[in-house]
Amino acid sequence: MNCREYGKESGRHIVLLHGGGLSWWNYRDEAELLRGEFHVVLPVLDGHAGSGRPFTSIEDNAAEIVEFIDRELGGSVEFIGGLSLGGQVMLEILSQRGNICRCALVESACVIPSPLTAALAGPALGMSYGLIRNRAFARLQFSSLHIREDLFQDYYRDSCLISRKDMEAFLRASSVYQLKDSLRACRARVLVAAGGREDHRMLRSAGLIHGMIPGSSLEVLPGLWHGGLSLNNPSGYLVRLRGLLGEDNCKSL
């Protein structure tokens, strides 16, 4: 597993898992703000630019991260966060090891399977994959994601490096992911977040996750699109992270 690390001298570990089609830079601003207090690990999910591994399944990627935490971080961490596909991987980690972290924030993770979406992933990529390296097409795709402008170069560079096979594999896996019953054994303090402008399926998913994890809290963020918290509002993300950790002595939005 390849990753970027910030604040390695700290013994307090945080792991942040990026969204599908993105990379470690999803959480770069948060890591820069936290590096003086925490060791922040930004793994590159399997099948993404710089990962060094093909994508096989959400379950395999989660097991790989659990093994990394056991080997490199003493078996547990302070906090795990994940967006979208990264949020699904995070939920799988918590299903595999309910006490692996003290706190967690899952953002915009879909857990309502859509076999039709999975079936259409291949044909859709067949029509569009050849355009990924076209800058104008990439710009249109980027605009539809409602991500802040200064991340376009990172997005364009790394999108061009994802193989069609890997892209189809993680799109299919994300489309059919569903919660495991073992998630009920999670002992972390968890915040489930979704943007108020996301589609109904995503908002329903947030409610299902909240209902599955004992003692979790749910926040629908008014006016935000998919991933709008971690990608576009790092200071707001840190407010919630510190709140979960019980460290509220930070500036509010």
Side-chain angles (χ1 to χ4, degrees):
M1 184 185 80
N2 292 329
C3 61
R4 295 291 181 102
E5 298 181 66
Y6 294 73
K8 291 184 70 172
E9 64 281 358
S10 173
R12 304 179 67 194
H13 309 298
I14 286 176
V15 177
L16 301 173
L17 306 171
H18 65 81
L22 310 179
S23 194
W24 62 273
W25 44 265
N26 183 151
Y27 290 101
R28 178 171 51 210
D29 287 357
E30 287 88 346
E32 289 285 1
L33 292 167
L34 291 165
R35 68 186 306 163
E37 305 166 71
F38 298 93
H39 173 211
V40 186
V41 181
L42 308 180
V44 179
L45 296 181
D46 291 350
H48 289 73
S51 69
R53 292 170 61 99
F55 183 89
T56 53
S57 71
I58 288 171
E59 291 78 6
D60 286 350
N61 208 166
E64 179 189 0
I65 294 168
V66 169
E67 192 277 333
F68 173 85
I69 291 172
D70 284 343
R71 185 182 70 249
E72 303 292 338
L73 305 180
S76 64
V77 299
E78 291 277 314
F79 179 93
I80 302 178
L83 164 64
S84 195
L85 175 64
Q88 293 171 323
V89 173
M90 190 200 84
L91 290 168
E92 188 61 31
I93 289 170
L94 296 179
S95 298
Q96 295 180 16
R97 181 85 65 78
N99 62 349
I100 200 166
C101 63
R102 186 156 71 89
C103 304
L105 196 167
V106 56
E107 180 186 2
S108 301
C110 187
V111 296
I112 300 173
S114 174
L116 178 60
T117 301
L120 293 175
L125 277 178
M127 293 185 290
S128 64
Y129 184 79
L131 294 171
I132 284 175
R133 291 174 177 80
N134 181 292
R135 197 174 183 87
F137 178 80
R139 174 66 69 180
L140 288 173
Q141 290 288 98
F142 181 79
S143 296
S144 73
L145 297 174
H146 305 282
I147 300 174
R148 68 180 205 262
E149 178 61 27
D150 62 292
L151 293 176
F152 175 71
Q153 284 302 126
D154 294 304
Y155 169 82
Y156 178 63
R157 178 195 65 230
D158 288 349
S159 294
C160 292
L161 296 175
I162 301 173
S163 72
R164 176 177 171 178
K165 181 178 179 181
D166 280 325
M167 191 173 291
E168 182 174 342
F170 67 68
L171 287 174
R172 285 182 183 275
S174 182
S175 297
V176 297
Y177 183 74
Q178 54 188 323
L179 297 173
K180 309 293 195 301
D181 195 59
S182 56
L183 186 62
R184 298 184 188 277
C186 174
R187 293 297 174 261
R189 185 181 182 190
V190 178
L191 171 61
V192 184
R197 301 183 77 173
E198 298 200 64
D199 64 35
H200 183 62
R201 187 161 158 254
M202 197 65 69
L203 295 172
R204 283 183 57 211
S205 291
L208 290 172
I209 299 165
H210 171 51
M212 176 74 82
I213 301 177
S216 64
S217 54
L218 172 64
E219 184 177 8
V220 176
L221 303 160
L224 294 192
W225 298 93
H226 187 74
L229 180 59
S230 60
L231 283 162
N232 296 340
N233 191 357
S235 62
Y237 193 93
L238 262 60
V239 167
R240 290 157 178 83
L241 183 156
R242 291 186 182 280
L244 286 166
L245 292 174
E247 301 173 359
D248 297 315
N249 58 333
C250 58
K251 292 182 179 179
S252 175
L253 292 181

